[in-house]
Amino acid sequence: MSELTLDAAAQDLLFREARTANTFTDEPVTEEQVQAIYDLVKYGPTAFNQSPLRVTLVRSPEARERLVQHMAEGNRPKTATAPLVAILSADNEFHEELPALFPHFPQAKDVFFAERPAREQAALVNATLQAGYFIVGVRAAGLAAGPMTGFDFAGVQKEFLDDDHTPLMIVNIGKPGDDAWYPRSPRLAYDEVVTTV
């Protein structure tokens, strides 16, 4: 008997069959699909419910061309042809939302996050956690994700964000195309990762 309560098909969809897609069909990704993804993954926990992830959808051809120029050479064709591209970033001013997001302790905004370095560290950790939720949410929507960190971070920030937002990754999104997957790479075994003390 499995120790997991999630059915096997859902386990496969979200994890075992999850791969980084390298090619996509030209089927568009709708605003409704992205809304459904967000409405699911927004419930993933973060510290103080700070929810610092911000998503910039690159839809226009002009914006796509600007983004492609900042991608590493090997990632440019994927980003140029994916149906939808999302820039995931961390909002370093997330604390402004804490009185609404953490109403039982609204003072957390000033007690823990008054200083910018503390906010930047918390935003990086928690927005990266949310980026993981986002990728699983893309899978839950029946789409494939191609997350990438091979790009000019400073260039993407200057082109699409501001000084209060730190880019984390670029995610290509869509239905997988022909030869979308590289061969599955190995994974570490349980006893190589988990230590009991």
Side-chain angles (χ1 to χ4, degrees), residues 129-162:
L129 177 62
Q130 287 186 286
Y133 298 148
F134 182 84
I135 293 165
V136 172
V138 169
R139 297 283 305 165
L143 300 169
M148 299 173 298
T149 56
F151 63 91
D152 176 359
F153 280 69
V156 167
Q157 182 177 29
K158 183 177 180 183
E159 191 81 41
F160 293 96
L161 305 171
D162 58 33

PDB file of all heavy atoms in Angstrom, residues 129-162:
ATOM      1  N   LEU A 129      10.364  29.555  -3.429  1.00  0.00           N
ATOM      2  CA  LEU A 129       9.418  28.513  -3.028  1.00  0.00           C
ATOM      3  C   LEU A 129       8.136  28.615  -3.855  1.00  0.00           C
ATOM      4  O   LEU A 129       7.637  27.615  -4.394  1.00  0.00           O
ATOM      5  CB  LEU A 129       9.111  28.660  -1.536  1.00  0.00           C
ATOM      6  CG  LEU A 129       8.076  27.715  -0.930  1.00  0.00           C
ATOM      7  CD1 LEU A 129       8.542  26.271  -1.038  1.00  0.00           C
ATOM      8  CD2 LEU A 129       7.831  28.095   0.522  1.00  0.00           C
ATOM      9  N   GLN A 130       7.616  29.819  -4.007  1.00  0.00           N
ATOM     10  CA  GLN A 130       6.405  30.015  -4.800  1.00  0.00           C
ATOM     11  C   GLN A 130       6.629  29.703  -6.280  1.00  0.00           C
ATOM     12  O   GLN A 130       5.707  29.251  -6.962  1.00  0.00           O
ATOM     13  CB  GLN A 130       5.902  31.443  -4.654  1.00  0.00           C
ATOM     14  CG  GLN A 130       5.276  31.742  -3.302  1.00  0.00           C
ATOM     15  CD  GLN A 130       4.681  33.127  -3.305  1.00  0.00           C
ATOM     16  OE1 GLN A 130       5.403  34.137  -3.261  1.00  0.00           O
ATOM     17  NE2 GLN A 130       3.366  33.188  -3.401  1.00  0.00           N
ATOM     18  N   ALA A 131       7.840  29.941  -6.771  1.00  0.00           N
ATOM     19  CA  ALA A 131       8.140  29.590  -8.162  1.00  0.00           C
ATOM     20  C   ALA A 131       7.999  28.087  -8.365  1.00  0.00           C
ATOM     21  O   ALA A 131       7.501  27.627  -9.404  1.00  0.00           O
ATOM     22  CB  ALA A 131       9.540  30.065  -8.533  1.00  0.00           C
ATOM     23  N   GLY A 132       8.427  27.297  -7.363  1.00  0.00           N
ATOM     24  CA  GLY A 132       8.224  25.859  -7.424  1.00  0.00           C
ATOM     25  C   GLY A 132       6.743  25.512  -7.479  1.00  0.00           C
ATOM     26  O   GLY A 132       6.315  24.655  -8.264  1.00  0.00           O
ATOM     27  N   TYR A 133       5.938  26.181  -6.651  1.00  0.00           N
ATOM     28  CA  TYR A 133       4.493  25.963  -6.702  1.00  0.00           C
ATOM     29  C   TYR A 133       3.958  26.306  -8.091  1.00  0.00           C
ATOM     30  O   TYR A 133       3.096  25.604  -8.635  1.00  0.00           O
ATOM     31  CB  TYR A 133       3.762  26.844  -5.682  1.00  0.00           C
ATOM     32  CG  TYR A 133       4.090  26.632  -4.235  1.00  0.00           C
ATOM     33  CD1 TYR A 133       4.054  27.705  -3.340  1.00  0.00           C
ATOM     34  CD2 TYR A 133       4.409  25.377  -3.718  1.00  0.00           C
ATOM     35  CE1 TYR A 133       4.324  27.544  -1.992  1.00  0.00           C
ATOM     36  CE2 TYR A 133       4.686  25.208  -2.369  1.00  0.00           C
ATOM     37  CZ  TYR A 133       4.643  26.295  -1.514  1.00  0.00           C
ATOM     38  OH  TYR A 133       4.905  26.132  -0.180  1.00  0.00           O
ATOM     39  N   PHE A 134       4.451  27.402  -8.647  1.00  0.00           N
ATOM     40  CA  PHE A 134       3.971  27.853  -9.960  1.00  0.00           C
ATOM     41  C   PHE A 134       4.236  26.792 -11.027  1.00  0.00           C
ATOM     42  O   PHE A 134       3.362  26.481 -11.840  1.00  0.00           O
ATOM     43  CB  PHE A 134       4.649  29.181 -10.324  1.00  0.00           C
ATOM     44  CG  PHE A 134       4.200  29.765 -11.628  1.00  0.00           C
ATOM     45  CD1 PHE A 134       3.050  30.539 -11.701  1.00  0.00           C
ATOM     46  CD2 PHE A 134       4.929  29.550 -12.790  1.00  0.00           C
ATOM     47  CE1 PHE A 134       2.636  31.086 -12.907  1.00  0.00           C
ATOM     48  CE2 PHE A 134       4.515  30.094 -13.999  1.00  0.00           C
ATOM     49  CZ  PHE A 134       3.366  30.862 -14.061  1.00  0.00           C
ATOM     50  N   ILE A 135       5.414  26.218 -11.012  1.00  0.00           N
ATOM     51  CA  ILE A 135       5.763  25.192 -12.002  1.00  0.00           C
ATOM     52  C   ILE A 135       4.859  23.966 -11.838  1.00  0.00           C
ATOM     53  O   ILE A 135       4.367  23.413 -12.825  1.00  0.00           O
ATOM     54  CB  ILE A 135       7.257  24.834 -11.902  1.00  0.00           C
ATOM     55  CG1 ILE A 135       8.108  26.027 -12.340  1.00  0.00           C
ATOM     56  CG2 ILE A 135       7.587  23.593 -12.724  1.00  0.00           C
ATOM     57  CD1 ILE A 135       9.571  25.922 -11.960  1.00  0.00           C
ATOM     58  N   VAL A 136       4.612  23.553 -10.594  1.00  0.00           N
ATOM     59  CA  VAL A 136       3.699  22.430 -10.361  1.00  0.00           C
ATOM     60  C   VAL A 136       2.285  22.809 -10.811  1.00  0.00           C
ATOM     61  O   VAL A 136       1.558  21.981 -11.383  1.00  0.00           O
ATOM     62  CB  VAL A 136       3.726  22.006  -8.877  1.00  0.00           C
ATOM     63  CG1 VAL A 136       2.649  20.966  -8.573  1.00  0.00           C
ATOM     64  CG2 VAL A 136       5.101  21.438  -8.522  1.00  0.00           C
ATOM     65  N   GLY A 137       1.893  24.059 -10.613  1.00  0.00           N
ATOM     66  CA  GLY A 137       0.586  24.520 -11.075  1.00  0.00           C
ATOM     67  C   GLY A 137       0.453  24.476 -12.586  1.00  0.00           C
ATOM     68  O   GLY A 137      -0.614  24.135 -13.113  1.00  0.00           O
ATOM     69  N   VAL A 138       1.523  24.820 -13.287  1.00  0.00           N
ATOM     70  CA  VAL A 138       1.517  24.706 -14.757  1.00  0.00           C
ATOM     71  C   VAL A 138       1.267  23.257 -15.145  1.00  0.00           C
ATOM     72  O   VAL A 138       0.471  22.963 -16.052  1.00  0.00           O
ATOM     73  CB  VAL A 138       2.847  25.229 -15.346  1.00  0.00           C
ATOM     74  CG1 VAL A 138       2.983  24.873 -16.816  1.00  0.00           C
ATOM     75  CG2 VAL A 138       2.958  26.748 -15.149  1.00  0.00           C
ATOM     76  N   ARG A 139       1.929  22.328 -14.468  1.00  0.00           N
ATOM     77  CA  ARG A 139       1.712  20.895 -14.716  1.00  0.00           C
ATOM     78  C   ARG A 139       0.266  20.509 -14.425  1.00  0.00           C
ATOM     79  O   ARG A 139      -0.347  19.743 -15.166  1.00  0.00           O
ATOM     80  CB  ARG A 139       2.660  20.062 -13.856  1.00  0.00           C
ATOM     81  CG  ARG A 139       4.126  20.242 -14.138  1.00  0.00           C
ATOM     82  CD  ARG A 139       4.578  19.532 -15.377  1.00  0.00           C
ATOM     83  NE  ARG A 139       4.244  18.119 -15.326  1.00  0.00           N
ATOM     84  CZ  ARG A 139       4.273  17.320 -16.389  1.00  0.00           C
ATOM     85  NH1 ARG A 139       4.656  17.781 -17.553  1.00  0.00           N
ATOM     86  NH2 ARG A 139       3.944  16.056 -16.279  1.00  0.00           N
ATOM     87  N   ALA A 140      -0.290  21.022 -13.328  1.00  0.00           N
ATOM     88  CA  ALA A 140      -1.667  20.700 -12.956  1.00  0.00           C
ATOM     89  C   ALA A 140      -2.659  21.189 -14.004  1.00  0.00           C
ATOM     90  O   ALA A 140      -3.748  20.623 -14.144  1.00  0.00           O
ATOM     91  CB  ALA A 140      -1.997  21.301 -11.592  1.00  0.00           C
ATOM     92  N   ALA A 141      -2.297  22.219 -14.746  1.00  0.00           N
ATOM     93  CA  ALA A 141      -3.158  22.739 -15.814  1.00  0.00           C
ATOM     94  C   ALA A 141      -3.016  21.949 -17.110  1.00  0.00           C
ATOM     95  O   ALA A 141      -3.622  22.301 -18.116  1.00  0.00           O
ATOM     96  CB  ALA A 141      -2.836  24.216 -16.063  1.00  0.00           C
ATOM     97  N   GLY A 142      -2.206  20.880 -17.090  1.00  0.00           N
ATOM     98  CA  GLY A 142      -2.015  20.080 -18.291  1.00  0.00           C
ATOM     99  C   GLY A 142      -1.040  20.687 -19.277  1.00  0.00           C
ATOM    100  O   GLY A 142      -1.008  20.317 -20.446  1.00  0.00           O
ATOM    101  N   LEU A 143      -0.225  21.622 -18.799  1.00  0.00           N
ATOM    102  CA  LEU A 143       0.761  22.289 -19.645  1.00  0.00           C
ATOM    103  C   LEU A 143       2.158  21.852 -19.229  1.00  0.00           C
ATOM    104  O   LEU A 143       2.351  21.237 -18.188  1.00  0.00           O
ATOM    105  CB  LEU A 143       0.619  23.809 -19.519  1.00  0.00           C
ATOM    106  CG  LEU A 143      -0.739  24.377 -19.920  1.00  0.00           C
ATOM    107  CD1 LEU A 143      -0.858  25.838 -19.497  1.00  0.00           C
ATOM    108  CD2 LEU A 143      -0.965  24.226 -21.415  1.00  0.00           C
ATOM    109  N   ALA A 144       3.127  22.198 -20.033  1.00  0.00           N
ATOM    110  CA  ALA A 144       4.525  21.924 -19.726  1.00  0.00           C
ATOM    111  C   ALA A 144       5.223  23.236 -19.403  1.00  0.00           C
ATOM    112  O   ALA A 144       4.872  24.291 -19.941  1.00  0.00           O
ATOM    113  CB  ALA A 144       5.212  21.226 -20.897  1.00  0.00           C
ATOM    114  N   ALA A 145       6.216  23.155 -18.533  1.00  0.00           N
ATOM    115  CA  ALA A 145       7.000  24.323 -18.146  1.00  0.00           C
ATOM    116  C   ALA A 145       8.450  24.111 -18.528  1.00  0.00           C
ATOM    117  O   ALA A 145       8.963  23.001 -18.422  1.00  0.00           O
ATOM    118  CB  ALA A 145       6.883  24.570 -16.643  1.00  0.00           C
ATOM    119  N   GLY A 146       9.090  25.170 -18.949  1.00  0.00           N
ATOM    120  CA  GLY A 146      10.524  25.153 -19.209  1.00  0.00           C
ATOM    121  C   GLY A 146      11.192  26.235 -18.393  1.00  0.00           C
ATOM    122  O   GLY A 146      11.471  27.325 -18.916  1.00  0.00           O
ATOM    123  N   PRO A 147      11.459  25.986 -17.102  1.00  0.00           N
ATOM    124  CA  PRO A 147      12.111  27.008 -16.279  1.00  0.00           C
ATOM    125  C   PRO A 147      13.589  27.132 -16.616  1.00  0.00           C
ATOM    126  O   PRO A 147      14.259  26.138 -16.864  1.00  0.00           O
ATOM    127  CB  PRO A 147      11.912  26.486 -14.846  1.00  0.00           C
ATOM    128  CG  PRO A 147      11.740  25.010 -14.992  1.00  0.00           C
ATOM    129  CD  PRO A 147      11.128  24.777 -16.340  1.00  0.00           C
ATOM    130  N   MET A 148      14.081  28.366 -16.645  1.00  0.00           N
ATOM    131  CA  MET A 148      15.469  28.622 -17.026  1.00  0.00           C
ATOM    132  C   MET A 148      16.048  29.750 -16.177  1.00  0.00           C
ATOM    133  O   MET A 148      15.364  30.712 -15.868  1.00  0.00           O
ATOM    134  CB  MET A 148      15.555  29.033 -18.501  1.00  0.00           C
ATOM    135  CG  MET A 148      15.058  27.984 -19.471  1.00  0.00           C
ATOM    136  SD  MET A 148      15.018  28.638 -21.159  1.00  0.00           S
ATOM    137  CE  MET A 148      13.837  29.955 -20.990  1.00  0.00           C
ATOM    138  N   THR A 149      17.327  29.602 -15.849  1.00  0.00           N
ATOM    139  CA  THR A 149      18.063  30.684 -15.197  1.00  0.00           C
ATOM    140  C   THR A 149      19.224  31.158 -16.071  1.00  0.00           C
ATOM    141  O   THR A 149      20.031  31.969 -15.618  1.00  0.00           O
ATOM    142  CB  THR A 149      18.589  30.240 -13.813  1.00  0.00           C
ATOM    143  OG1 THR A 149      19.384  29.063 -13.967  1.00  0.00           O
ATOM    144  CG2 THR A 149      17.441  29.970 -12.850  1.00  0.00           C
ATOM    145  N   GLY A 150      19.274  30.678 -17.308  1.00  0.00           N
ATOM    146  CA  GLY A 150      20.317  31.097 -18.238  1.00  0.00           C
ATOM    147  C   GLY A 150      19.915  32.370 -18.964  1.00  0.00           C
ATOM    148  O   GLY A 150      19.423  32.331 -20.095  1.00  0.00           O
ATOM    149  N   PHE A 151      20.092  33.507 -18.278  1.00  0.00           N
ATOM    150  CA  PHE A 151      19.783  34.809 -18.879  1.00  0.00           C
ATOM    151  C   PHE A 151      20.535  35.887 -18.118  1.00  0.00           C
ATOM    152  O   PHE A 151      21.075  35.655 -17.037  1.00  0.00           O
ATOM    153  CB  PHE A 151      18.271  35.074 -18.899  1.00  0.00           C
ATOM    154  CG  PHE A 151      17.619  35.154 -17.535  1.00  0.00           C
ATOM    155  CD1 PHE A 151      17.490  36.361 -16.863  1.00  0.00           C
ATOM    156  CD2 PHE A 151      17.116  34.013 -16.930  1.00  0.00           C
ATOM    157  CE1 PHE A 151      16.885  36.435 -15.614  1.00  0.00           C
ATOM    158  CE2 PHE A 151      16.502  34.073 -15.681  1.00  0.00           C
ATOM    159  CZ  PHE A 151      16.387  35.284 -15.026  1.00  0.00           C
ATOM    160  N   ASP A 152      20.560  37.064 -18.680  1.00  0.00           N
ATOM    161  CA  ASP A 152      21.207  38.222 -18.072  1.00  0.00           C
ATOM    162  C   ASP A 152      20.247  38.811 -17.033  1.00  0.00           C
ATOM    163  O   ASP A 152      19.299  39.516 -17.384  1.00  0.00           O
ATOM    164  CB  ASP A 152      21.553  39.238 -19.162  1.00  0.00           C
ATOM    165  CG  ASP A 152      22.138  40.532 -18.626  1.00  0.00           C
ATOM    166  OD1 ASP A 152      22.274  40.680 -17.397  1.00  0.00           O
ATOM    167  OD2 ASP A 152      22.438  41.416 -19.451  1.00  0.00           O
ATOM    168  N   PHE A 153      20.490  38.497 -15.767  1.00  0.00           N
ATOM    169  CA  PHE A 153      19.573  38.924 -14.709  1.00  0.00           C
ATOM    170  C   PHE A 153      19.464  40.443 -14.644  1.00  0.00           C
ATOM    171  O   PHE A 153      18.367  40.985 -14.530  1.00  0.00           O
ATOM    172  CB  PHE A 153      20.036  38.350 -13.359  1.00  0.00           C
ATOM    173  CG  PHE A 153      19.650  36.919 -13.139  1.00  0.00           C
ATOM    174  CD1 PHE A 153      20.234  35.903 -13.884  1.00  0.00           C
ATOM    175  CD2 PHE A 153      18.704  36.581 -12.186  1.00  0.00           C
ATOM    176  CE1 PHE A 153      19.879  34.574 -13.682  1.00  0.00           C
ATOM    177  CE2 PHE A 153      18.337  35.257 -11.976  1.00  0.00           C
ATOM    178  CZ  PHE A 153      18.928  34.246 -12.726  1.00  0.00           C
ATOM    179  N   ALA A 154      20.601  41.129 -14.694  1.00  0.00           N
ATOM    180  CA  ALA A 154      20.576  42.591 -14.615  1.00  0.00           C
ATOM    181  C   ALA A 154      19.856  43.181 -15.816  1.00  0.00           C
ATOM    182  O   ALA A 154      19.099  44.146 -15.689  1.00  0.00           O
ATOM    183  CB  ALA A 154      21.997  43.137 -14.521  1.00  0.00           C
ATOM    184  N   GLY A 155      20.065  42.595 -16.995  1.00  0.00           N
ATOM    185  CA  GLY A 155      19.403  43.083 -18.201  1.00  0.00           C
ATOM    186  C   GLY A 155      17.903  42.904 -18.144  1.00  0.00           C
ATOM    187  O   GLY A 155      17.142  43.806 -18.515  1.00  0.00           O
ATOM    188  N   VAL A 156      17.446  41.741 -17.670  1.00  0.00           N
ATOM    189  CA  VAL A 156      16.004  41.485 -17.559  1.00  0.00           C
ATOM    190  C   VAL A 156      15.387  42.412 -16.518  1.00  0.00           C
ATOM    191  O   VAL A 156      14.295  42.960 -16.722  1.00  0.00           O
ATOM    192  CB  VAL A 156      15.739  40.004 -17.222  1.00  0.00           C
ATOM    193  CG1 VAL A 156      14.293  39.782 -16.780  1.00  0.00           C
ATOM    194  CG2 VAL A 156      16.060  39.131 -18.431  1.00  0.00           C
ATOM    195  N   GLN A 157      16.083  42.618 -15.412  1.00  0.00           N
ATOM    196  CA  GLN A 157      15.552  43.528 -14.398  1.00  0.00           C
ATOM    197  C   GLN A 157      15.391  44.933 -14.962  1.00  0.00           C
ATOM    198  O   GLN A 157      14.346  45.568 -14.791  1.00  0.00           O
ATOM    199  CB  GLN A 157      16.466  43.549 -13.172  1.00  0.00           C
ATOM    200  CG  GLN A 157      15.940  44.448 -12.052  1.00  0.00           C
ATOM    201  CD  GLN A 157      16.812  44.398 -10.814  1.00  0.00           C
ATOM    202  OE1 GLN A 157      18.014  44.162 -10.902  1.00  0.00           O
ATOM    203  NE2 GLN A 157      16.211  44.620  -9.660  1.00  0.00           N
ATOM    204  N   LYS A 158      16.406  45.410 -15.644  1.00  0.00           N
ATOM    205  CA  LYS A 158      16.347  46.768 -16.201  1.00  0.00           C
ATOM    206  C   LYS A 158      15.285  46.898 -17.277  1.00  0.00           C
ATOM    207  O   LYS A 158      14.583  47.914 -17.363  1.00  0.00           O
ATOM    208  CB  LYS A 158      17.715  47.139 -16.772  1.00  0.00           C
ATOM    209  CG  LYS A 158      17.789  48.555 -17.305  1.00  0.00           C
ATOM    210  CD  LYS A 158      19.184  48.899 -17.791  1.00  0.00           C
ATOM    211  CE  LYS A 158      19.244  50.320 -18.322  1.00  0.00           C
ATOM    212  NZ  LYS A 158      20.585  50.651 -18.857  1.00  0.00           N
ATOM    213  N   GLU A 159      15.132  45.866 -18.095  1.00  0.00           N
ATOM    214  CA  GLU A 159      14.205  45.902 -19.239  1.00  0.00           C
ATOM    215  C   GLU A 159      12.747  45.754 -18.821  1.00  0.00           C
ATOM    216  O   GLU A 159      11.857  46.372 -19.409  1.00  0.00           O
ATOM    217  CB  GLU A 159      14.570  44.779 -20.214  1.00  0.00           C
ATOM    218  CG  GLU A 159      13.876  44.848 -21.551  1.00  0.00           C
ATOM    219  CD  GLU A 159      14.535  45.837 -22.500  1.00  0.00           C
ATOM    220  OE1 GLU A 159      15.772  45.885 -22.548  1.00  0.00           O
ATOM    221  OE2 GLU A 159      13.785  46.558 -23.186  1.00  0.00           O
ATOM    222  N   PHE A 160      12.476  44.924 -17.794  1.00  0.00           N
ATOM    223  CA  PHE A 160      11.094  44.559 -17.497  1.00  0.00           C
ATOM    224  C   PHE A 160      10.643  44.858 -16.067  1.00  0.00           C
ATOM    225  O   PHE A 160       9.442  44.875 -15.805  1.00  0.00           O
ATOM    226  CB  PHE A 160      10.889  43.056 -17.746  1.00  0.00           C
ATOM    227  CG  PHE A 160      10.995  42.674 -19.178  1.00  0.00           C
ATOM    228  CD1 PHE A 160      12.190  42.198 -19.695  1.00  0.00           C
ATOM    229  CD2 PHE A 160       9.908  42.810 -20.038  1.00  0.00           C
ATOM    230  CE1 PHE A 160      12.305  41.842 -21.030  1.00  0.00           C
ATOM    231  CE2 PHE A 160      10.015  42.463 -21.372  1.00  0.00           C
ATOM    232  CZ  PHE A 160      11.216  41.977 -21.872  1.00  0.00           C
ATOM    233  N   LEU A 161      11.567  45.062 -15.147  1.00  0.00           N
ATOM    234  CA  LEU A 161      11.198  45.203 -13.742  1.00  0.00           C
ATOM    235  C   LEU A 161      11.678  46.549 -13.214  1.00  0.00           C
ATOM    236  O   LEU A 161      11.814  47.488 -13.977  1.00  0.00           O
ATOM    237  CB  LEU A 161      11.801  44.035 -12.940  1.00  0.00           C
ATOM    238  CG  LEU A 161      11.443  42.631 -13.455  1.00  0.00           C
ATOM    239  CD1 LEU A 161      12.262  41.563 -12.743  1.00  0.00           C
ATOM    240  CD2 LEU A 161       9.962  42.350 -13.331  1.00  0.00           C
ATOM    241  N   ASP A 162      11.908  46.639 -11.930  1.00  0.00           N
ATOM    242  CA  ASP A 162      12.475  47.844 -11.326  1.00  0.00           C
ATOM    243  C   ASP A 162      13.394  47.412 -10.188  1.00  0.00           C
ATOM    244  O   ASP A 162      13.578  46.219  -9.957  1.00  0.00           O
ATOM    245  CB  ASP A 162      11.377  48.807 -10.851  1.00  0.00           C
ATOM    246  CG  ASP A 162      10.429  48.175  -9.838  1.00  0.00           C
ATOM    247  OD1 ASP A 162      10.878  47.322  -9.037  1.00  0.00           O
ATOM    248  OD2 ASP A 162       9.241  48.525  -9.840  1.00  0.00           O
TER     249      ASP A 162
END
